[in-house]
Amino acid sequence: MRVILFTLIALFTLSSCTEKTRSFTASEIAILPKPSSLELNEGSFAIKDGQQIFANLEEQKSAAADLQAYITDTSGFKTSVVENYGASISFEKNEDLAPESYKLIVSPKKTSILANDAAGYFYGVQTLKQLISIETSEDSQNKTYLVPSVNITDSPRFKWRAYMLDESRYFHGEEFVKQMLDQMALLKMNTFHWHLIDDAGWRIEIKKYPLLTEVGAFRADSEIETWNSGKTSGEPHGGFYTQEQIKDIVAYAADRNITIVPEFEMPGHSSAAIAAYTWLGTAGEAIEVPVKFGRLYDNYDVTKPEVVTFIKDVLDELFVLFPSEVIHIGGDEVGYEVWEKSASVQKYMREHHIKSPADLQINFTNKISKYIEDNGRRMMGWNEILGKNIHADFEEKKDDQEAETELAKNAIVHFWKGDLELLTEAAKNGYAIVNSLHNRTYLDYSYESIPLEKAYNFDPIPEGLDAQYHNNIYGTGCQMWSEWTPTNADVERQTFPRIAAYAEVGWTELENKDYDSFKIALKKMQKHWDDLGINYFKDYAGLEPELKARQETESN
């Protein structure tokens, strides 16, 4: 009798201490971007206080620390990372998995994240974060943190999944940049394209040339509302990042598997630098940092050795600050008039048998590409660096001669404008391409121009490109140009929720994409943005009937 009573007490005690778990339905699973495959099983795994996380490799520990921090922030539970087997949460090496790929295996007793590199472990954690469900008891006194039992195998479609922030027009600051990096990481985006240098402001400290920030980082006023509005804010604007801040942000990004690619515009969009050092320009005229946005037409005088030395000096400091393999040199919208009017530039072109300003630009770009390559990096630029005139619609560019000089093959071409045949031709010629076609990926465009569904349906691989050239399409980026978004809230509204659509464009294979399921997952992500106070555009669904009507009209 004693034995029976003892057994009953033990069973009662055990059952009362067991965490309540449940099985989940498929409709409750919401992950952005959508994984390659997901199998839902019975039961769930409970996150508990005092749980141990097994991670014994250096490449696992950053992801383990990220998971630890998330569990603490979400539940208040403390966890510990251990190097002995038997922990209920485990990071495990799987050498068969490709870079950035992972497997997530969750059962009621154990959660395992398998990968072959730091990125894979990290992305497994990002998926796990999105799976955690908070269950509240009927009396609202207790919360249980459950993960559905799943088997997920996942890998990215493209290796370049970027978000670009333009801080030349408006300086947004370190805290905001880190917020954006956090959201990119959750969405498995791996490249932060940082537009720090343009006409409107120079935003990075360069030790050898202090006037770049003392003068070039500040302007007296700012054009507002829209192009050529004739209105200004009436307020000065400025700001820049010190090199110590840059190092901190680069490290912060690296912890989230994000590479920061800096953009140093050349030879055009250089007014802020010329305002600081007049001798950099072709016209030889002292200017101030422009108040008006748009295309401005004094360029670096690339025929002067001292100007080329300046550019290389700046690049040398960028090499130290940014470990990225890729350095973006812009190269877009270069106005050739100032070179055409310069006697010294024309003399240089004759002496070096350079036929046109477009050839001069390619000649200069190839030299910079070689210098970047000699320093163990790779040059990237907007697709004007191919020497094609994609701006015949601009009055000042309509008669520009196209270059005969060939762009260096090692360059990465960042396609943003022009006939898609140019992209196809470049891919066939062996160039690496990042496809950021402006009328599909520019976040400064209105939601009427690029509704959420249009963003979601963008395919970086153009229709008709032979499969043998698909590997030359590295991926895509979405661009947040900030001429008309002076505040952080303005940038957020233009970015969110479309950044989630572009994240899935970059990660998810075409056959797995489904806009309806994306919108369901997006609802959960919006709750996360609400909790953070992010100002996102909420009425995207209201634009969809208009888009469909427009598509039907165009097809007819």
Side-chain angles (χ1 to χ4, degrees):
M1 184 68 180
R2 280 184 183 177
V3 173
I4 296 171
L5 181 62
F6 178 80
T7 303
L8 289 172
I9 292 171
L11 285 171
F12 174 78
T13 303
L14 181 63
S15 63
S16 66
C17 293
T18 302
E19 294 280 355
K20 289 185 178 180
T21 64
R22 68 177 180 88
S23 294
F24 285 71
T25 64
S27 63
E28 294 178 278
I29 308 298
I31 302 169
L32 281 178
K34 188 177 180 181
S36 303
S37 69
L38 185 152
E39 178 188 341
L40 179 61
N41 302 313
E42 292 291 320
S44 54
F45 176 85
I47 304 289
K48 303 175 186 177
D49 197 16
Q51 254 167 343
Q52 293 184 331
I53 301 172
F54 171 71
N56 69 338
L57 300 176
E58 199 61 37
E59 62 196 27
Q60 298 169 345
K61 291 181 179 178
S62 178
D66 183 54
L67 179 57
Q68 267 190 300
Y70 184 79
I71 290 173
T72 299
D73 289 346
T74 303
S75 65
F77 295 161
K78 299 295 183 182
T79 58
S80 58
V81 176
V82 299
E83 295 190 6
N84 53 295
Y85 292 97
S88 59
I89 301 174
S90 178
F91 289 86
E92 301 170 20
K93 182 82 168 176
N94 185 327
E95 295 183 351
D96 293 330
L97 291 173
E100 298 191 293
S101 304
Y102 69 92
K103 289 185 177 181
L104 176 61
I105 302 172
V106 181
S107 71
K109 292 185 177 181
K110 186 177 181 181
T111 292
S112 300
I113 299 171
L114 291 72
N116 196 24
D117 63 359
Y121 295 118
F122 183 81
Y123 290 143
V125 170
Q126 305 321 299
T127 295
L128 184 58
K129 287 179 184 180
Q130 294 188 46
L131 286 170
I132 294 175
S133 175
I134 303 174
E135 312 283 320
T136 304
S137 62
E138 291 182 5
D139 60 7
S140 300
Q141 296 299 307
N142 298 298
K143 291 182 178 179
T144 306
Y145 300 84
L146 302 179
V147 183
S149 292
V150 292
N151 285 354
I152 293 175
T153 301
D154 204 6
S155 59
R157 183 185 181 201
F158 294 107
K159 62 183 178 181
W160 187 284
R161 307 180 301 279
Y163 172 77
M164 190 211 82
L165 180 63
D166 165 23
E167 286 207 78
S168 174
R169 276 65 183 216
Y170 284 98
F171 180 73
H172 294 283
E174 184 173 357
E175 182 179 347
F176 183 72
V177 167
K178 288 181 176 179
Q179 173 191 283
M180 296 308 303
L181 291 170
D182 287 341
Q183 301 318 302
M184 288 175 61
L186 186 60
L187 292 167
K188 302 184 178 73
M189 301 176 84
N190 64 359
T191 304
F192 181 61
H193 174 184
W194 210 358
H195 193 87
L196 291 165
I197 297 166
D198 209 303
D199 293 305
W202 187 289
R203 305 289 177 214
I204 179 170
E205 177 189 24
I206 300 297
K207 301 283 190 181
K208 193 166 186 176
Y209 300 96
L211 294 183
L212 289 173
T213 47
E214 290 176 22
V215 174
F218 300 90
R219 60 177 185 264
D221 205 343
S222 302
E223 185 179 19
I224 59 172
E225 294 187 5
T226 190
W227 307 104
N228 301 313
S229 68
K231 300 177 183 179
T232 63
S233 68
E235 298 177 355
H237 180 79
F240 65 92
Y241 295 99
T242 66
Q243 293 201 356
E244 288 306 308
Q245 287 176 306
I246 293 288
K247 291 174 185 175
D248 177 64
I249 293 169
V250 167
Y252 189 90
D255 285 344
R256 288 150 182 78
N257 196 55
I258 295 171
T259 298
I260 298 184
V261 174
E263 182 173 355
F264 171 18
E265 278 274 10
M266 62 181 85
H269 285 293
S270 49
S271 299
I274 295 170
Y277 297 100
T278 305
W279 53 268
L280 290 171
T282 305
E285 298 174 359
I287 62 171
E288 295 183 349
V289 178
V291 168
K292 186 177 179 180
F293 301 128
R295 301 181 300 277
L296 303 162
Y297 295 112
D298 196 6
N299 310 321
Y300 290 126
D301 186 345
V302 299
T303 69
K304 291 181 184 176
E306 61 268 33
V307 173
V308 175
T309 297
F310 162 83
I311 290 169
K312 291 179 178 179
D313 288 341
V314 172
L315 285 170
D316 287 344
E317 295 197 31
L318 295 182
F319 293 149
V320 174
L321 295 171
F322 297 95
S324 166
E325 177 193 354
V326 177
I327 303 293
H328 203 302
I329 59 95
D332 58 307
E333 298 181 329
V334 180
Y336 293 143
E337 183 179 355
V338 70
W339 284 349
E340 291 167 341
K341 290 182 176 179
S342 169
S344 63
V345 170
Q346 292 301 308
K347 181 174 181 289
Y348 178 94
M349 290 172 61
R350 288 193 298 272
E351 289 174 349
H352 291 81
H353 309 291
I354 297 172
K355 292 185 177 181
S356 71
D359 287 289
L360 176 62
Q361 181 180 351
I362 306 302
N363 180 277
F364 160 75
T365 299
N366 284 345
K367 289 177 181 177
I368 297 303
S369 177
K370 180 67 165 60
Y371 186 75
I372 290 173
E373 187 175 359
D374 287 345
N375 281 272
R377 312 298 182 92
R378 191 172 181 186
M379 188 195 77
M380 180 178 191
W382 302 106
N383 59 294
E384 287 97 325
I385 64 174
L386 286 166
K388 305 294 184 182
N389 183 5
I390 62 172
H391 296 296
D393 53 327
F394 296 168
E395 178 63 29
E396 68 275 6
K397 298 284 287 179
K398 66 178 182 179
D399 296 323
D400 281 355
Q401 187 176 338
E402 294 190 344
E404 296 180 10
T405 309
E406 185 179 58
L407 176 69
K409 288 293 186 183
N410 194 42
I412 300 173
V413 178
H414 199 169
F415 189 86
W416 76 280
K417 185 176 181 179
D419 195 310
L420 282 173
E421 289 184 7
L422 296 175
L423 185 155
T424 301
E425 179 184 355
K428 289 180 177 179
N429 287 334
Y431 289 104
I433 307 289
V434 171
N435 187 358
S436 295
L437 187 62
H438 69 102
N439 59 11
R440 303 300 297 274
T441 71
Y442 272 25
L443 292 165
D444 55 311
Y445 286 21
S446 71
Y447 281 86
E448 288 76 18
S449 176
I450 306 180
L452 183 65
E453 187 173 8
K454 183 176 180 180
Y456 182 82
N457 288 330
F458 175 59
D459 185 359
I461 295 180
E463 187 176 352
L465 181 66
D466 291 345
Q468 62 181 311
Y469 304 114
H470 286 191
N471 285 342
N472 290 343
I473 310 298
Y474 280 13
T476 189
C478 53
Q479 287 62 235
M480 185 61 249
W481 299 104
S482 66
E483 287 93 341
W484 318 118
T485 49
T487 71
N488 293 350
D490 292 331
V491 172
E492 288 173 348
R493 187 178 184 277
Q494 291 300 116
T495 297
F496 300 94
R498 289 184 293 194
I499 190 173
Y502 294 119
E504 194 148 306
V505 167
W507 183 274
T508 305
E509 295 288 344
L510 284 179
E511 59 269 24
N512 285 337
K513 288 181 67 183
D514 178 77
Y515 184 60
D516 289 333
S517 65
F518 165 78
K519 286 192 292 183
I520 293 170
L522 184 60
K523 291 294 183 185
K524 185 175 181 180
M525 189 64 67
Q526 286 176 217
K527 174 64 167 61
H528 167 69
W529 296 336
D530 285 333
D531 292 342
L532 294 175
I534 288 175
N535 178 44
Y536 61 91
F537 180 72
K538 296 180 173 63
D539 192 32
Y540 54 84
L543 294 174
E544 291 174 9
E546 177 187 333
L547 174 65
K548 286 182 168 58
R550 192 191 315 164
Q551 289 174 331
E552 289 174 5
T553 301
E554 290 172 355
S555 64
N556 293 333

